[in-house]
């Protein structure tokens, strides 16, 4: 059996070498080294077998991320470089969310880096009734970089930090203890199953996307313009007053409100939060106009009262229409607050319901988890 495995590895390795140029092969080895993965892993039987399937299946993730969310890639790269985190961590974000800033998982992990509520709070992100900085691509990237550095310091290697990011510190420590080693090939052995299939596939996906993104021939075949996908950063951060309407900010910049919200997914309300001021992101082409014409003192303050919220536990026979009517709320608001995409509700599911103030006398405000 061992002889067969060796022959298979050699066979895959030879075919691998025939397909890729020496330049691309060296780039792949560099990617592995950057993540503290031993070079021999490039010919690991399991990795090679999965790689073909993953390239076919996940090349679309890379292309969609690059083409539709190109404004994020240079920003993420700059922050990773500034924080001394391997550039390849960009592909962790692609695997997590496809670089969709508004991404919300079934488990309620959100944003480009898919942070849960507790994780976001622990990493210093602001999450309250006014803003959720897990959706802020810049702040969440700094948080992700610092989190991964903490994991790297704990486990000693970048690929272990990536595994822990997916499965958690405790599960990774347990897997290393069971395996008796932190060797990547052993930890992701599909027969031993020291780690879950999700975590094993997670590292494979990241490596596959990193390899594809550095394959010039692949990018040229798909779209020659993709060769420059990470060169331009088209948005900047500016200071804005507190308690002003986003619509007024958009008008002052000759922007549509929808466009402003696209650049600022962290806002949970249609106004900036109360306090000492806040920030927002604007397109690069608006910076000169902003510097010349933006007058903070001209903006009217708005009522920043957030509607009171009640938790409703779904019962048999409930529907979004019935629940909205019960609380004199709207289906749209309930959908947005609970990240509901379809009409299906589950029995005992907890829903956050916005209550109009005249009906709110008996309820206390609850911050969305």
């Amino acid at each position: 059996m061992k002889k067969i495995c060796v022959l298979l590895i050699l066979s895959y390795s030879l075919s691998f070498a025939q397909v890729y140029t020496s330049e691309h092969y060296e780039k792949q080895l560099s990617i592995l080294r950057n993540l503290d993965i031993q070079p021999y892993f490039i010919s690991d039987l399991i990795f090679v077998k999965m790689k073909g399937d993953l390239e076919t299946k996940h090349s679309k993730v890379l292309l969609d991320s690059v083409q539709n969310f190109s404004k994020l890639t240079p920003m993420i790269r700059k922050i990773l470089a500034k924080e001394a985190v391997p550039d390849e961590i960009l592909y962790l974000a692609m695997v997590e969310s496809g670089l969709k800033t508004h991404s919300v998982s079934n488990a309620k992990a959100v944003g480009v880096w898919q942070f849960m509520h507790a994780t976001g709070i622990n990493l210093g992100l602001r999450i309250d009734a006014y803003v959720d900085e897990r959706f802020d691509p810049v702040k969440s990237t700094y948080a992700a970089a610092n989190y991964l550095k903490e994991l790297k310091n704990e486990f000693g290697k970048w690929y272990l930090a990536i595994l822990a990011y997916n499965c958690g510190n405790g599960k990774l420590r347990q897997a290393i203890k069971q395996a008796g080693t932190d060797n990547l090939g052993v930890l992701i052995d599909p027969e031993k199953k020291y780690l879950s299939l999700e975590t094993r596939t997670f590292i494979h996906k990241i490596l596959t996307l990193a390899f594809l993104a550095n394959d010039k021939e692949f990018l040229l075949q798909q779209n020659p313009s993709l060769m420059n996908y990470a060169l331009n950063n088209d948005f900047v951060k500016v200071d804005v007053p507190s308690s002003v309407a986003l619509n007024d900010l958009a008008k002052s910049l000759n922007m549509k409100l929808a466009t402003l919200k696209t650049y600022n997914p962290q806002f949970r309300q249609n106004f900036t939060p109360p306090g000492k001021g806040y920030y927002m992101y604007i397109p690069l082409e608006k910076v000169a106009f902003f510097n010349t014409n933006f007058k903070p003192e001209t903006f009217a303050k708005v009522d920043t009262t957030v509607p009171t919220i009640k938790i409703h536990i779904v019962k048999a026979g409930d529907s979004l229409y019935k629940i909205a009517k019960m609380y004199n709320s709207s289906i749209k608001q309930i959908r947005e607050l609970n990240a509901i995409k379809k009409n299906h509700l589950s029995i005992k599911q907890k829903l956050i319901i916005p209550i109009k103030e005249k009906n709110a006398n008996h309820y206390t405000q609850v911050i969305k988890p």
Side-chain angles (χ1 to χ4, degrees), residues 246-247 249-261 263-264 280-283 286:
L246 298 187
N247 193 45
L249 291 174
K251 286 180 180 178
S252 73
L253 292 167
N254 293 328
M255 292 174 62
K256 293 181 178 179
L257 176 61
T259 302
L260 185 142
K261 284 187 171 182
Y263 279 89
N264 295 275
M280 71 177 185
Y281 302 109
I282 62 173
K286 293 290 184 180

Side-chain angles (χ1 to χ4, degrees), residues 290-301:
F290 177 90
N291 291 337
T292 303
N293 300 288
F294 193 80
K295 310 295 182 188
E297 64 277 5
T298 63
F299 291 91
K301 297 292 184 180

